[in-house]
Every structure is written in C-alpha cells, then in structure tokens.
Amino acid sequence: MPRTAIYPGSFDPLTNGHLDIIHRSMGLFDRLVIAVASNVRKHPLFDMSERIALIREVVGHDARIEIDTFDGLLVEYAQRKGAIAVVRGLRAVADFEYEFEMATMNRRLAPTVETVFLMTHESYFYVSSHLVKEVAMLGGAIDAFVPPAVARRLNARMGELRAKPA
Ligand code: PNS
C-alpha cells in the first residue's frame, strides 16, 4: 500500500517555505496530496483556480504528487484519500499553539490520521504568505521568498490592484 500524506493549506500563494515542506514530505511518503482549502475564513487574494495553477506550475509533473481542493473537515477528506498522515510545516514558536490545537482537534475527530510536523529550512522561518503579500503590496522585493512564477503573478496582481480606481 502506498503511504499517502495530505499537505493542506490555503496556499495564498505558495511560498518557498511551502515548497521546502513539499520536498521534505516526498522523502517520507510515497504519495502527497497538496490540498488547497476552499473554505478558508480569510478572503484569499488568489482564487482557487489561480492558487492551483501556480502550485502546478511550480511543482511540475510528478506522478507522486496530486494537487486537489477540499472543503469540509480535513480529516474526513484525508480518510477519503486513504491518507495515513496530514503534514504541516512548523516555522517557529508562534505557529505552535494554532497547530497544536488543530492537530489535537483532528486527532479527536479521527484518531487514525496522524499529524506530522516538519520544520522548514531555517532560511524560511520568517516567510509566510501573509507577509509576502504585504511586502509585495508595499512595493518590496519578494523574489527571495517565493518561486519565480509566484513572484511574477503576485507582482502583476499588485499592479492590477494599484491601478484600480479607489
Ligand atoms: O495554510 P493554513 O491557512 O494555515 O491552513 C489551514 C487549514 C486549511 C489546514 C485548516 O483551516 C483546515 O484544516 N481547514 C479545514 C476545516 C477543518 O477540518 N477544520 C477543523 C480542523 S481543527
């Protein structure tokens, strides 16, 4: 049986930190499903199809990686996919409380789905989609934090937003 893991998130947009976690996960599991959450509470900058297209462009074709969307409960989705684990990236102490709460709730809901935390490379400890969007919005350089395809799309998006009449 191939060992499948789910890597869920908003990916609004994919960062180098996410990509680092994807590569690390592939060393541990046979299959990885990158699952883009459609019911995110926050209002996303990129719609679902844009987020998926960017992930696809960056990850390229790899038969072991599936890119999908999900709504509803993550653990139910993970079980439908036959996954043994949910992967989450941990950057620093600040992530811990939120991640600990989610993992504990998910374990209560589905005791057989393990949450596996992977540490991002230390170069990405401070990189988050949220901060990258803020830097881009204020005209800062984001090339060190996101893959080139994402930087192009993000800069173009910010240009569109700035050009919009208030
Ligand atoms: O990248 P994010 O935004 O931190 O990802 C959060 C996500 C999408 C993994 C989380 O919000 C989630 O699992 N949502 C699905 C709904 C769900 O299962 N909620 C109960 C989990 S405690």
Side-chain angles (χ1 to χ4, degrees):
M1 268 291 274
R3 295 162 74 83
T4 300
I6 308 285
Y7 181 32
S10 317
F11 303 105
D12 184 41
L14 181 87
T15 66
N16 285 340
H18 291 131
L19 198 54
D20 180 61
I21 295 295
I22 292 169
H23 290 144
R24 286 174 198 279
S25 305
M26 292 316 294
L28 295 173
F29 298 98
D30 304 314
R31 286 187 66 244
L32 185 70
V33 181
I34 304 171
V36 187
S38 64
N39 58 351
V40 277
R41 274 167 278 181
K42 352 171 188 178
H43 183 69
L45 178 68
F46 293 107
D47 67 23
M48 179 57 80
S49 59
E50 288 178 297
R51 283 181 275 157
I52 290 190
L54 276 176
I55 299 172
R56 219 179 274 290
E57 186 174 344
V58 172
V59 169
H61 180 75
D62 183 331
R64 299 175 308 153
I65 300 180
E66 182 187 344
I67 302 160
D68 195 13
T69 66
F70 78 102
D71 52 21
L73 281 180
L74 171 63
V75 286
E76 287 180 358
Y77 172 78
Q79 284 169 326
R80 283 202 300 280
K81 285 285 183 185
I84 56 167
V86 166
V87 170
R88 292 285 290 170
L90 268 189
R91 286 166 304 189
V93 194
D95 282 338
F96 184 77
E97 197 172 338
Y98 169 61
E99 294 297 334
F100 181 77
E101 267 181 23
M102 265 202 316
T104 310
M105 177 59 82
N106 283 337
R107 178 181 281 171
R108 273 303 300 270
L109 295 170
T112 57
V113 179
E114 287 294 347
T115 299
V116 173
F117 293 111
L118 295 179
M119 267 176 66
T120 43
H121 190 276
E122 49 273 26
S123 334
Y124 307 127
F125 273 178
Y126 58 94
V127 175
S128 66
S129 300
H130 166 75
L131 278 187
V132 169
K133 282 184 285 193
E134 186 167 317
V135 171
M137 182 53 133
L138 298 171
I142 50 166
D143 310 70
F145 315 129
V146 291
V150 175
R152 279 194 298 275
R153 188 70 198 93
L154 193 49
N155 285 325
R157 190 65 208 270
M158 291 310 174
E160 286 158 23
L161 289 180
R162 275 193 221 102
K164 243 186 188 175

